[in-house]
Amino acid sequence: MPSALVLGAGIMGLSAAWGLSRAGWSVTLVEQDPVPNPRGASVDDHRLIRHAYGAAAGYMRMVDEAYAAWDLLWADLGEVLHVPTGVLALGESGEGWLAESRAGLAAAGHAFEDLAPGELAARYPMLRPAGGGEAFHMAAGGVLLARRIVAALARHLRRRGVAIEPGRAMAVDPARASLRLADGATRQADLLVLAAGPWAPRLVPGLAGRVVPSRQIVVYLEPPPAWRAAWAAAPMLLDLSEAGGFYAVPPVVGTPLKIGDHRFSRQGDAEDAREAGAAEAEAILALARPRLAGAAAYRVLGARACYYDVTGDERFIVAPLGPHAMVMSGFSGHGFKFAPLLGLAVAREDRSGLAAWAAGEGGPLPG
């Protein structure tokens, strides 16, 4: 049985281990922190899955494949950790991300409904159609319960016989498919998969500069009583203006309402504390207030930072490092939805075309 060594037990490393184990590999997974890792970008209440993708038509096309991979994972886990919500996309004008998403969705035959400002206010009274603006609603899309997914997948892998070992990698040798750990020990296998998130640029030659850590702040809110029922039934909200939009995740299955900035700071260090400062939280609230009716009545429950690994063009890096190693990196804020699909792809015997496909450059994965 071939052996695989996976570094990192975030959603990408766990998904790679899942795909490899299903394909018949003996897998060892090495993680520096507890699993689920409270410092990991994967470990939050939720992540989003949706087809609206601006001009990134390659990733829009991958979403249907991603849904199929999630269905396979749900069958393995014995539970579905996804809440359908639909998508509400907003914009100050019909240009930019909103227009590009409309065009891409229409070309691919995905159904969506345009909403005039008056319709927006009537359907979603907790929102203000700031500046008039434009909007569309899409029934497909939902919330992935990220923290629960990571925990359930780790449990499943252990049941499958995947070894999850503690260890902090200090150096990697792609040619030998090996890791040197902080305690001086080494680990080696037939295949090494590096899925170390924002820590990866320190370890992988050539990745530093292409991928940078990015400190991202999210704020958790309790809506005022008048709007709680509306938010509980709300779709995910994407207001992705480059001038300062935000996203909002509705309070599903007991989670809080969450808002964040879709833009990337491209600043900070993965070792930084995850507590968010008051000024950081206020910057996110300032983005959302123009869209929230009665914004002053919302109660702030907390705020935290997570660290993404970000490329300049927000394209994923899933590429070989020689014949015995691979790197999975640069997943920005939008990689979670594709994790099981990418894990299955890494486990393929034929990985030709994988790098271009994962970068959103083509159609279905070749082969």
Side-chain angles (χ1 to χ4, degrees):
M1 178 183 295
S3 61
L5 183 61
V6 180
L7 177 63
I11 189 60
M12 291 302 166
L14 291 168
S15 294
W18 172 67
L20 288 162
S21 177
R22 294 183 95 260
W25 292 69
S26 172
V27 183
T28 298
L29 200 155
V30 176
E31 169 57 51
Q32 64 183 347
D33 289 320
V35 180
N37 179 1
R39 297 196 295 167
S42 308
V43 182
D44 189 16
D45 290 318
H46 8 60
R47 291 291 182 266
L48 303 176
I49 183 166
R50 36 81 179 183
H51 291 84
Y53 241 99
Y59 289 122
M60 178 194 68
R61 288 191 292 268
M62 286 169 62
V63 171
D64 284 334
E65 296 176 287
Y67 269 117
W70 283 110
D71 285 342
L72 189 61
L73 180 59
W74 305 144
D76 279 6
L77 297 182
E79 59 181 329
V80 176
L81 298 172
H82 168 261
V83 181
T85 63
V87 179
L88 176 63
L90 306 176
E92 291 303 305
S93 70
E95 301 176 354
W97 183 88
L98 198 73
E100 292 163 349
S101 292
R102 276 186 176 128
L105 292 169
H110 292 294
F112 61 93
E113 176 189 9
D114 286 322
L115 299 176
E119 295 174 290
L120 179 68
R123 192 177 300 186
Y124 307 107
M126 70 287 198
L127 300 177
R128 295 191 302 183
E134 299 196 19
F136 69 79
H137 177 265
M138 188 172 182
V143 175
L144 295 162
L145 302 175
R147 191 189 320 274
R148 292 173 57 183
I149 289 169
V150 169
L153 182 49
R155 290 193 300 269
H156 174 70
L157 291 176
R158 289 187 174 103
R159 290 194 297 268
R160 289 190 64 96
V162 172
I164 301 179
E165 299 182 352
R168 180 177 175 85
M170 303 304 292
V172 302
D173 186 341
R176 296 177 180 272
S178 69
L179 299 173
R180 178 171 57 82
L181 304 181
D183 63 2
T186 61
R187 296 288 185 273
Q188 189 171 13
D190 298 315
L191 175 69
L192 173 64
V193 179
L194 300 170
W199 288 272
R202 299 179 177 184
L203 298 169
V204 181
L207 201 59
R210 293 182 65 194
V211 177
V212 298
S214 186
R215 182 177 175 86
Q216 304 298 129
I217 306 299
V218 293
V219 178
Y220 306 98
L221 300 174
E222 181 180 66
W227 303 134
R228 285 177 191 167
W231 273 114
M236 71 177 81
L237 173 63
L238 304 174
D239 183 0
L240 304 190
S241 165
E242 284 303 315
F246 72 105
Y247 65 88
V249 185
V252 296
V253 294
T255 66
L257 170 64
K258 183 177 80 176
I259 61 173
D261 187 348
H262 71 97
R263 300 167 301 176
F264 299 112
S265 74
R266 293 185 169 85
Q267 296 178 353
D269 186 280
E271 293 295 330
D272 291 344
R274 295 310 192 256
E275 292 80 17
E280 291 179 309
E282 175 55 32
I284 302 304
L285 292 168
L287 295 174
R289 285 193 188 101
R291 285 290 190 190
L292 300 180
Y298 284 73
R299 185 165 71 94
V300 177
L301 300 175
R304 71 181 295 268
C306 69
Y307 272 83
Y308 294 151
D309 44 318
V310 176
T311 61
D313 58 6
E314 299 180 36
R315 294 178 182 269
F316 308 155
I317 297 172
V318 181
L321 297 171
H324 305 298
M326 298 196 65
V327 61
M328 304 177 72
S329 187
F331 295 108
S332 303
H334 68 113
F336 195 106
K337 69 176 70 64
F338 298 113
L341 178 63
L342 293 167
L344 294 172
V346 164
R348 290 164 54 99
E349 184 174 344
D350 179 8
R351 302 187 190 97
S352 60
L354 175 58
W357 169 80
E361 296 176 2
L365 181 61

